[in-house]
Amino acid sequence: MTFGTHSKGVYAIATTPFLEDGSIDFTSVDRLTDFYEETGCTGITILGIMGEAPKLEPEESRAIVKRVVSRARVPVIVGVSAPGFAGMRSLARDSMEMGAAGVMIAPPPSLRTDDQIVSYFAGAVEAVGGDVPWVLQDYPLTLTVVMSPGVIAQIMTNHPSCLMLKHEDWPGLEKISRLRAMQKAGELRPFSILCGNGGLFLDFEPERGADGAMTGYGFPDMLTELVQLFADGKRDEAHDLFDAHLPLIRYEQQVGVGLAVRKHVLKRRGVIATDVQRKPAQMLTPAAKAEVDYLLGRMAKKDKRAAF
């Protein structure tokens, strides 16, 4: 299964479920894969930042790729970002051999100038191979690397194998508009734009030209419905749905505890068995869990999917 420059919808950023002893919970991996498909996701992205990829052993990463790819009926993107190109190449080639649709590459935090960024991705593409479809991750809030529309355009022009931009700049609405304007003017080739940031700005991103979302909010079914409402031109209904979920989306965007919130919600929904993270990790305190549960209770009054 593949993805392309016109891919739309929601690609779920998958968490990595663990058992209480910290080992991978493959039963929950299966259940999570099924859950994403059942909720209407058009793709799944694994081993991303929220997938705790840096905490996994190389053989564990490959075991997860094999498990998800063999079970999924939608395209699977594998995060292969690594400190060095050798590890990136190895995981990328192995993932493609196992049936992944493509890979996602993020810039290392050390990059500062435009030339450094452009040069880095030239090296990354050379390492994984120009035949491997890939997603460019633009996440300056966490990675501290700022890519202007011009730099993104240069990378896209240099590398036809890059089919998608994972956009999660903040603020970033104007960047989407600028890239789409460049395409409309014939200055830039087509590519898909899916947005992250937990869906925090998904109330306006589709209207700016985004094709959907690539994020891991605990209600992917809400994200798929929201994207479809915008596609159907039902703006007010889309905003009503978004507004009902905004308090939880905002709570999840707190630095350090976002994954803990997400895993807590997925556990409450019966998708994963535990909310365990690999150490080092910041877990929710009893007070924080109570706050999340309170938000879920309030949300359930407007969206029955939160009534569990």
Side-chain angles (χ1 to χ4, degrees), residues 25-48:
D25 179 0
F26 285 103
T27 299
S28 289
V29 169
D30 290 345
R31 195 157 53 235
L32 190 61
T33 302
D34 295 345
F35 171 72
Y36 288 138
E37 293 183 3
E38 291 164 0
T39 53
C41 292
T42 51
I44 301 172
T45 302
I46 60 176
L47 304 185

Side-chain angles (χ1 to χ4, degrees), residues 229-266:
L229 285 171
F230 276 115
D232 294 341
K234 299 179 179 179
R235 189 186 199 198
D236 288 343
E237 290 182 38
H239 279 269
D240 287 343
L241 176 61
F242 179 84
D243 290 349
H245 284 256
L246 181 56
L248 183 60
I249 292 173
R250 175 184 61 87
Y251 198 98
E252 189 187 271
Q253 283 301 110
Q254 296 179 92
V255 176
V257 299
L259 179 57
V261 174
R262 191 169 298 173
K263 283 195 164 184
H264 176 69
V265 171
L266 290 172

Side-chain angles (χ1 to χ4, degrees), residues 1-22:
M1 288 170 286
T2 61
F3 73 110
T5 57
H6 298 287
S7 293
K8 299 180 181 295
V10 175
Y11 276 56
I13 292 287
T15 62
T16 299
F18 298 108
L19 297 171
E20 293 291 350
D21 64 1

Side-chain angles (χ1 to χ4, degrees), residues 23 27 129 158 199 222 253 278 308:
S23 61
T27 299
N158 292 349
M222 169 272 192
Q253 283 301 110
R278 281 271 175 96
F308 45 76

Side-chain angles (χ1 to χ4, degrees), residues 62-180:
R62 284 160 175 78
I64 291 173
V65 174
K66 182 177 181 180
R67 190 76 169 225
V68 176
V69 169
S70 65
R71 190 175 186 89
R73 294 167 294 175
V74 296
V76 177
I77 306 296
V78 180
V80 297
S81 303
F85 288 147
M88 182 186 297
R89 173 181 172 80
S90 177
L91 180 56
R93 303 306 295 189
D94 288 351
S95 297
M96 296 305 293
E97 288 178 6
M98 285 187 274
V103 303
M104 182 168 69
I105 305 174
S110 59
L111 304 181
R112 284 295 174 266
T113 69
D114 291 352
D115 286 346
Q116 287 175 339
I117 297 168
V118 172
S119 177
Y120 174 82
F121 282 103
V125 172
E126 181 182 14
V128 304
D131 59 325
V132 174
W134 62 286
V135 178
L136 171 62
Q137 185 174 13
D138 179 22
Y139 195 8
L141 271 75
T142 292
L143 301 173
T144 72
V145 178
V146 178
M147 290 189 277
S148 68
V151 167
I152 292 173
Q154 186 63 58
I155 294 169
M156 293 292 180
T157 299
N158 292 349
H159 308 293
S161 56
C162 187
L163 307 182
M164 180 184 290
L165 171 67
K166 185 188 179 188
H167 170 277
E168 40 195 343
D169 201 349
W170 181 355
L173 293 173
E174 298 302 333
K175 180 181 284 188
I176 299 173
S177 293
R178 175 59 182 152
L179 291 169
R180 290 309 195 202

